[in-house]
Amino acid sequence: MLVAASELMIERSSIEISLSDIAQKSGANAALVKYHFGNKDGLLLALLARDAATEMSNLEYLLAQPITATAKLKLHIAGIIRAYHRFPYMNRLIHYLLHESEAGSADEVSKFFVAPLLDFHRRLLAEGVSRGEFRQTDPVLFYTSLIGACDHLFFGRHAMSRATGVGPVTEEVCRQYIKHMETLICGGILTQAGEAAAAG
């Protein structure tokens, strides 16, 4: 059922799907979908939890790698952008569950997505500072900058396509954006030692 919901949202470029759409796509009946998830918000929350779980487990793995903090930062930037590209409905789902659904859903999203990501940023930035690679950087502002930029690439793309004829987010656009965000973020927080680590 989660696979069906994911596929439908990708096909339609929208999170506006009904339980009956999901039931029809998955071959299950709507009552079964309701039984497992309670309602549509329950299903959307389960889908986001599934998609976020892999990304969150990758964060711990990345922190443990015997590489420079700068290399970890670049891999993280690329990983976040690729996650948004792989699940193009993710940003709209997060916005919906945080702001438009019941309070319990917002609390859950904060618990399994926002809090772990913010904690990862705190630890990565602290590691970079202690190694002399990063300047002191506020983790909340860093989170806002990186996640906001990734979010807007996909969320704002629709508005830009109407206003200026900008095309969809392709694999090539993704690669260009990763490079752009690396330059932007690293240019802002790397010390000379960090720049040397990035160059080497």
Side-chain angles (χ1 to χ4, degrees), residues 16-17 44 94 96 109 130-131 133 153 156 158 173 185:
E16 294 304 317
I17 55 172
L44 295 179
I94 291 167
Y96 171 77
V109 173
S130 72
R131 289 183 175 191
E133 294 176 44
L153 171 65
H158 300 294
V173 168
I185 290 174

Side-chain angles (χ1 to χ4, degrees), residues 34-68:
K34 232 174 185 170
Y35 172 77
H36 281 292
F37 302 103
N39 56 25
K40 184 181 159 186
D41 281 4
L43 184 138
L44 295 179
L45 188 61
L47 176 62
L48 183 60
R50 182 205 73 172
D51 294 345
T54 305
E55 302 310 318
M56 295 304 115
S57 66
N58 287 343
L59 299 181
E60 289 305 317
Y61 177 78
L62 180 58
L63 267 182
Q65 294 312 295
I67 55 178
T68 65

